[in-house]
């Protein structure tokens, strides 16, 4: 017997002993909020996912290329100027996603998370740029990896019912 079948059987057994079952009145129906549609396949959000995934891979490559001596002076990262521009573009797209969802009247957390990511990306980028040691660079890049990963996951995760 599967877990679902056991759970269903237990629910029926408990329901048969409820006061409503004894009096014949129907149990109260709990209304669940509707699940908002996924936006992951919409062009704007698919672009955000693609860019964030690519920037995450590049950030991980930066971390791998760092010298293994953490106390040495931070080195310039190859192609960092272009990377900065791409992070700025992603930040702007995240804010556009926030505004788009807000204009639609979205009540789920995604719009707020996108706004937060949009605001956090420049801060994480600044920490990478201002790192004085390889250890500081590594920590700042690690934080950037986490943020870029969150950027992908919040859009691709299945939507939950609005609270």
């Amino acid at each position: 017997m599967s877990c679902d079948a056991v759970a269903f059987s237990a629910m029926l057994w408990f329901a048969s002993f409820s006061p409503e079952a004894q009096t014949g009145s129907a149990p109260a129906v709990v209304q669940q909020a509707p699940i908002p549609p996924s936006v992951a396949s919409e062009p704007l959000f698919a672009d955000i996912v693609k860019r964030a995934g690519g920037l995450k891979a590049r950030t991980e490559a930066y971390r791998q290329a760092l010298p293994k001596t953490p106390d040495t002076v931070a080195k310039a990262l190859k192609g960092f100027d272009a990377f900065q521009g791409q992070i700025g573009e992603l930040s702007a797209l995240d804010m556009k996603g926030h505004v788009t969802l807000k204009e639609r009247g979205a009540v789920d957390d995604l719009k707020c998370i996108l706004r937060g990511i949009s605001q956090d990306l420049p801060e994480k980028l600044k920490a990478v740029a201002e790192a004085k040691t390889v250890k500081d660079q590594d920590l700042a890049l690690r934080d950037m990896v986490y943020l870029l990963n969150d950027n992908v996951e919040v859009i691709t995760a299945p939507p939950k019912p609005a609270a």
Side-chain angles (χ1 to χ4, degrees):
M1 187 181 259
S2 74
C3 292
D4 292 334
V6 170
F8 183 73
S9 297
M11 181 201 64
L12 288 176
W13 186 76
F14 282 113
S16 68
F17 291 102
S18 71
E20 291 86 13
Q22 302 300 323
T23 62
S25 62
V29 175
V30 177
Q31 294 289 332
Q32 186 175 20
I35 297 176
S38 174
V39 296
S41 63
E42 294 180 25
L44 170 63
F45 299 99
D47 189 26
I48 291 171
V49 168
K50 180 180 175 186
R51 288 176 188 234
L55 287 166
K56 177 186 171 214
R58 188 162 175 196
T59 307
E60 289 170 334
Y62 278 145
R63 285 189 75 204
Q64 294 300 316
L66 290 175
K68 302 304 177 208
T69 51
D71 293 331
T72 54
V73 176
K75 304 272 190 222
L77 302 171
K78 185 178 179 181
F80 191 70
D81 289 340
F83 180 78
Q84 284 181 303
Q86 292 166 344
I87 291 290
E89 291 170 4
L90 178 62
S91 176
L93 286 174
D94 281 319
M95 184 55 74
K96 185 176 180 180
H98 161 77
V99 170
T100 298
L101 293 173
K102 186 176 179 181
E103 288 172 349
R104 290 181 188 174
V107 294
D108 60 347
D109 293 336
L110 180 58
K111 75 175 187 311
C112 297
I113 294 169
L114 289 174
R115 180 178 177 181
I117 290 172
S118 175
Q119 294 169 339
D120 287 348
L121 281 169
E123 294 298 316
K124 300 298 182 198
L125 186 63
K126 182 179 177 186
V128 172
E130 294 178 352
K132 302 294 183 210
T133 66
V134 169
K135 180 180 179 182
D136 294 339
Q137 256 182 332
D138 185 53
L139 290 173
L141 288 167
R142 184 197 65 196
D143 289 347
M144 181 68 80
V145 167
Y146 288 139
L147 185 59
L148 291 166
N149 187 64
D150 287 348
N151 207 173
V152 170
E153 289 184 352
V154 298
I155 293 172
T156 59
K160 304 257 190 257

